[in-house]
């Protein structure tokens, strides 16, 4: 599988499903943390979280599992994504799922209070994701206390 990285910021990129063999290349590109946003039930055993975590560790990368069922974005899920990004201590993070879409939505929700929504939607569109329909969800997260 060829890596299809989509840079959203200098320190946060998303991708469709990656392979365990990709971890060394990610490390060489300067990534320090990989976040798996894909539930194990969607993928074959060789790509499930335990195998991916083992490959990440072998490559010297941090690894976090934060599976997202499509359309199920909760405050707890967003908090776990934020914690995984924070654990990277400002280093480069790659979040992946089936297409990169859910990982991009999580980035938008994590940043809903700190980045302009129009700017995030434009960034997502430039990465290949039309998130105009997600705007109400982002606005709802931005309005939370």
């Amino acid at each position: 599988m060829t890596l299809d990285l989509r840079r959203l910021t200098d320190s946060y990129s998303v991708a469709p499903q990656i392979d365990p063999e990709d971890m060394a290349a990610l490390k060489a590109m300067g990534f320090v943390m990989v976040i798996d946003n894909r539930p194990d039930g969607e993928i074959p055993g060789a790509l499930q979280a335990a195998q991916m975590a083992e490959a990440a560790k072998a490559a010297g990368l941090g690894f976090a599992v934060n599976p997202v069922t499509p359309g199920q974005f909760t405050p707890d899920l967003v908090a776990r994504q934020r914690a995984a990004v924070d654990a990277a201590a400002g280093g480069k993070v790659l979040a992946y799922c089936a297409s990169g879409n859910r990982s991009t939505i999580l980035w938008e929700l994590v940043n809903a209070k700190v980045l302009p929504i129009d700017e995030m939607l434009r960034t997502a569109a430039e990465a290949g994701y039309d998130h105009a329909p997600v705007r109400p969800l982002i606005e709802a997260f931005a309005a939370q206390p």
Side-chain angles (χ1 to χ4, degrees), residues 109 111-114 117 135-145:
L109 298 178
N111 291 291
K113 293 179 184 293
V114 295
I117 294 173
R135 183 187 210 58
L137 178 64
I138 300 168
E139 289 172 343
F141 271 82
Q144 289 178 357

Side-chain angles (χ1 to χ4, degrees), residues 17 34-40 43 47-50 52-53 63-68 81 94-97 103:
Q17 179 67 53
V34 176
I35 305 172
D36 176 359
N37 292 136
R38 198 153 187 210
D40 278 349
I43 48 181
L47 299 176
Q48 291 187 356
M52 298 300 285
F63 190 82
V65 180
N66 192 23
V68 181
Q81 192 82 0
L94 174 71
Y96 72 89
C97 56
S103 297

Side-chain angles (χ1 to χ4, degrees), residues 35 37 69 76 80 89 97 109 111-112 114 119 121-123 143:
I35 305 172
N37 292 136
T69 301
D76 185 52
R80 286 195 310 267
C97 56
L109 298 178
N111 291 291
V114 295
E119 180 182 311
L121 293 176
R122 190 169 37 258
T123 298

